[in-house]
């Protein structure tokens, strides 16, 4: 009876003294639970089995899940993104104050993965209508971003760009937070793309109106619209962001999360000695990369290379080493074959 009361209150009791919400599970996990799979909570205890509940209670559990699955909290962010709580709190504080932030780091540190979940956590729910995602490239222009004349059948027509439309949407809901996410932000010509927005995106100039050159109408950027950019620090072919735009953004370093509580739990769940040894070697490799004067911490190997599997096999780990890690090291140390060969031997030695 107590167990059923807990379920009807929306908390799904585990078989220990602790409780944990089943609504925190993914849709796939919830379906597996309904089909009889044993799920574990954050303390390693099992949830009540679906088979132990009446059909009525299972239906109620399913309805509770549907009602609550779109909720998204700080705790859920920290469970899914391998970042410390202190770094998360600081990240949110900086973005709230500055309005514009760039997540910078080497490939594999989870920049894109974290950006959307950061938006969810600040909104308190998964609402993709309040998020827009775009990727910059060398041919991206102000006409794509804000507005410009595009060819039509009988000439040219003024078309509004993705950022202009998103600002209008945010302006219609001034009591809600909106998030504009830009992947590969430093691949585009920033001054060309942003134009007069260089001033308007500043926190102090939000909702300050200016006249646009194309249509002669006034325009402003809403106060509660946040811009999150992602920048790869390991690609030497990309130019750095110019100082005029740099002043408008705060820069947040995304680092490998091997020592975060979330990754440690993920690692321990495999209970695989080979995987543990491989992660130790990668952490040693990262220390050498960070101390290399021609590289630095912005070139370290990210944790996401080791997060795309549910089954930790030697074959999968060897594929990650041979087809992800070593090609990157070959790029890093193209002029130091001895160092490259040494690390190839070290990483391959994990499997011997």
């Amino acid at each position: 009876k107590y167990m059923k009361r807990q379920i009807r209150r929306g908390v799904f009791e585990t078989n220990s003294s602790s409780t944990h919400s089943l609504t925190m599970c993914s849709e796939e996990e919830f379906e597996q639970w309904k089909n009889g799979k044993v799920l574990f909570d954050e303390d390693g205890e099992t949830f009540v089995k679906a088979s132990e509940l009446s059909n009525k209670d299972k239906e109620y559990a399913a309805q509770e899940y549907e009602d609550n699955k779109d909720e998204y909290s700080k705790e859920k962010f920290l469970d899914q993104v391998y970042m410390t709580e202190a770094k998360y709190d600081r990240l949110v504080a900086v973005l709230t104050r500055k309005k514009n932030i760039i997540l910078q780091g080497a490939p594999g540190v989870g920049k894109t993965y974290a950006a959307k979940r950061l938006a969810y956590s600040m909104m308190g729910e998964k609402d993709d209508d309040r998020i827009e995602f775009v990727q910059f490239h060398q041919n991206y222009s102000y006409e794509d971003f804000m507005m410009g004349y595009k060819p039509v059948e009988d000439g040219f027509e003024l078309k509004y760009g993705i950022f202009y439309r998103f600002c209008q949407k945010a302006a219609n809901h001034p009591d809600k937070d909106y998030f504009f996410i830009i992947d590969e932000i430093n691949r585009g010509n920033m001054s060309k793309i942003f134009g007069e927005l260089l001033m308007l995106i500043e926190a102090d100039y939000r909702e300050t109106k200016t006249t646009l050159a194309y249509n002669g109408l006034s325009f402003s950027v809403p106060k509660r619209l946040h811009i999150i950019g992602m920048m790869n620090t390991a690609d030497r072919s990309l130019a750095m962001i110019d100082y005029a735009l740099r002043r408008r953004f705060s820069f947040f370093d995304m680092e490998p999360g091997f020592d975060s509580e979330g990754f440690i739990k993920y690692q321990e769940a495999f209970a695989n000695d080979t995987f543990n040894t491989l992660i130790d070697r990668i952490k040693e490799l990262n220390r050498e990369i960070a101390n290399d004067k021609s590289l630095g911490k912005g070139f370290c190997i990210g944790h996401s290379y080791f997060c795309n599997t549910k089954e930790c096999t030697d074959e999968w780990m060897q594929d990650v080493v041979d087809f992800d890690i070593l090609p990157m090291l070959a790029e890093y140390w193209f002029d130091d074959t001895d160092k490259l060969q040494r690390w190839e031997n070290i990483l391959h030695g994990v499997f011997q």
Side-chain angles (χ1 to χ4, degrees), residues 25 32 58 60 79 105 110 147 170 192 195 210 215 221 233 239 249 312 325 344:
C25 297
Q32 291 172 342
K58 278 191 283 189
Y60 184 86
D79 185 55
M147 66 177 63
K192 175 183 174 184
T210 190
N215 62 3
V221 178
T233 55
F249 284 83
C312 186
I325 307 303
E344 183 176 338

Side-chain angles (χ1 to χ4, degrees), residues 271-280 312 314 317 350-352:
N272 186 307
D273 290 338
T274 304
F275 186 69
N276 295 340
T277 302
L278 178 59
I279 297 303
D280 287 340
C312 186
D314 282 3
M317 287 185 280
V350 171
F351 308 103
Q352 296 174 358

Side-chain angles (χ1 to χ4, degrees), residues 223-334:
K223 278 188 177 179
R224 297 188 68 170
L225 189 150
H226 305 79
I227 300 175
I228 305 174
M230 283 88 76
M231 188 170 80
N232 180 0
T233 55
D235 194 334
R236 299 183 234 223
S237 66
L238 299 180
M240 295 301 291
I241 289 179
D242 69 58
Y243 289 108
L245 190 66
R246 180 174 284 273
R247 188 170 67 81
R248 272 77 180 187
F249 284 83
S250 290
F251 288 74
F252 188 87
D253 287 329
M254 295 285 290
E255 300 173 346
F258 295 113
D259 294 322
S260 67
E261 183 178 348
F263 188 86
I264 291 172
K265 284 184 178 180
Y266 166 80
Q267 182 178 346
E268 289 175 345
F270 283 134
N272 186 307
D273 290 338
T274 304
F275 186 69
N276 295 340
T277 302
L278 178 59
I279 297 303
D280 287 340
R281 297 296 175 268
I282 294 297
K283 290 197 280 188
E284 292 171 11
L285 172 60
N286 278 343
R287 285 192 286 272
E288 182 154 343
I289 291 173
N291 292 328
D292 191 314
K293 291 181 180 179
S294 65
L295 298 174
K297 65 178 183 179
F299 290 78
C300 288
I301 306 299
H303 56 269
S304 66
Y305 289 108
F306 304 94
C307 298
N308 298 322
T309 187
K310 293 182 179 179
E311 186 178 1
C312 186
T313 64
D314 282 3
E315 182 182 5
W316 169 74
M317 287 185 280
Q318 287 177 337
D319 285 347
V320 172
V321 169
D322 289 337
F323 304 118
D324 293 320
I325 307 303
L326 289 178
M328 192 179 305
L329 296 185
E331 175 73 20
Y332 288 175
W333 291 316
F334 66 92

Side-chain angles (χ1 to χ4, degrees), residues 9-23:
R9 280 168 39 200
V11 177
F12 300 89
E13 183 81 64
T14 62
N15 293 327
S16 70
S17 58
S18 65
T19 59
H20 185 64
S21 175
L22 194 60
T23 60

Side-chain angles (χ1 to χ4, degrees), residues 78-92:
L78 294 173
D79 185 55
Q80 294 183 341
V81 180
Y82 298 144
M83 181 184 293
T84 65
E85 183 176 359
K87 285 200 73 172
Y88 169 82
D89 290 338
R90 195 166 190 188
L91 174 58
V92 170

Side-chain angles (χ1 to χ4, degrees), residues 49-302:
K49 295 178 183 177
S51 59
E52 296 176 4
L53 305 179
S54 67
N55 289 334
K56 186 175 181 180
D57 282 331
K58 278 191 283 189
E59 289 174 6
Y60 184 86
Q63 186 60 51
E64 279 289 300
Y65 182 79
E66 288 299 317
D67 291 343
N68 293 287
K69 70 177 182 180
D70 289 334
E71 294 180 359
Y72 202 94
S73 63
K74 167 184 173 179
E75 289 71 28
K76 196 160 189 176
F77 176 93
L78 294 173
D79 185 55
Q80 294 183 341
V81 180
Y82 298 144
M83 181 184 293
T84 65
E85 183 176 359
K87 285 200 73 172
Y88 169 82
D89 290 338
R90 195 166 190 188
L91 174 58
V92 170
V94 171
L95 181 54
T96 302
R97 172 183 58 82
K98 188 80 170 187
K99 304 298 182 188
N100 313 310
I101 199 165
I102 290 178
L103 308 180
Q104 61 178 3
V109 293
K111 299 182 291 296
T112 305
Y113 185 83
K116 199 167 188 179
R117 284 155 184 80
L118 173 63
Y120 288 155
S121 70
M122 292 179 68
M123 292 189 295
E125 61 178 338
K126 288 184 176 181
D127 186 355
D128 288 327
D129 286 339
R130 290 194 275 149
I131 297 175
E132 191 63 77
F133 186 95
V134 68
Q135 186 179 72
F136 280 0
H137 52 78
Q138 291 176 340
N139 291 326
Y140 207 82
S141 67
Y142 180 88
E143 287 73 19
D144 301 310
F145 196 60
M146 274 295 289
M147 66 177 63
Y149 286 97
K150 299 292 180 73
V152 292
E153 289 183 4
D154 55 350
F156 290 86
E157 184 177 315
L158 182 63
K159 298 284 188 180
Y160 294 113
I162 189 169
F163 187 73
Y164 182 93
R165 297 194 304 270
F166 193 67
C167 284
Q168 298 303 101
K169 181 193 285 190
N172 290 331
H173 303 92
D175 58 329
K176 292 183 178 292
D177 290 310
Y178 281 73
F179 295 84
F180 194 86
I181 301 174
I182 306 172
D183 194 21
E184 305 287 1
I185 191 169
N186 57 327
R187 285 189 180 272
N189 183 331
M190 306 300 291
S191 298
K192 175 183 174 184
I193 294 170
F194 276 85
E196 67 270 85
L197 295 177
L198 282 177
M199 181 190 79
L200 298 182
I201 64 173
E202 280 193 66
D204 293 341
Y205 289 99
R206 293 299 182 94
E207 298 191 350
T208 299
K209 293 186 180 296
T210 190
T211 302
L212 299 175
Y214 270 100
N215 62 3
L217 299 178
S218 61
F219 174 81
S220 64
V221 178
K223 278 188 177 179
R224 297 188 68 170
L225 189 150
H226 305 79
I227 300 175
I228 305 174
M230 283 88 76
M231 188 170 80
N232 180 0
T233 55
D235 194 334
R236 299 183 234 223
S237 66
L238 299 180
M240 295 301 291
I241 289 179
D242 69 58
Y243 289 108
L245 190 66
R246 180 174 284 273
R247 188 170 67 81
R248 272 77 180 187
F249 284 83
S250 290
F251 288 74
F252 188 87
D253 287 329
M254 295 285 290
E255 300 173 346
F258 295 113
D259 294 322
S260 67
E261 183 178 348
F263 188 86
I264 291 172
K265 284 184 178 180
Y266 166 80
Q267 182 178 346
E268 289 175 345
F270 283 134
N272 186 307
D273 290 338
T274 304
F275 186 69
N276 295 340
T277 302
L278 178 59
I279 297 303
D280 287 340
R281 297 296 175 268
I282 294 297
K283 290 197 280 188
E284 292 171 11
L285 172 60
N286 278 343
R287 285 192 286 272
E288 182 154 343
I289 291 173
N291 292 328
D292 191 314
K293 291 181 180 179
S294 65
L295 298 174
K297 65 178 183 179
F299 290 78
C300 288
I301 306 299

Side-chain angles (χ1 to χ4, degrees), residues 329-345:
L329 296 185
E331 175 73 20
Y332 288 175
W333 291 316
F334 66 92
D335 57 349
D336 193 341
T337 55
D338 290 341
K339 184 178 288 189
L340 176 62
Q341 186 61 56
R342 178 167 63 86
W343 274 105
E344 183 176 338
N345 293 338

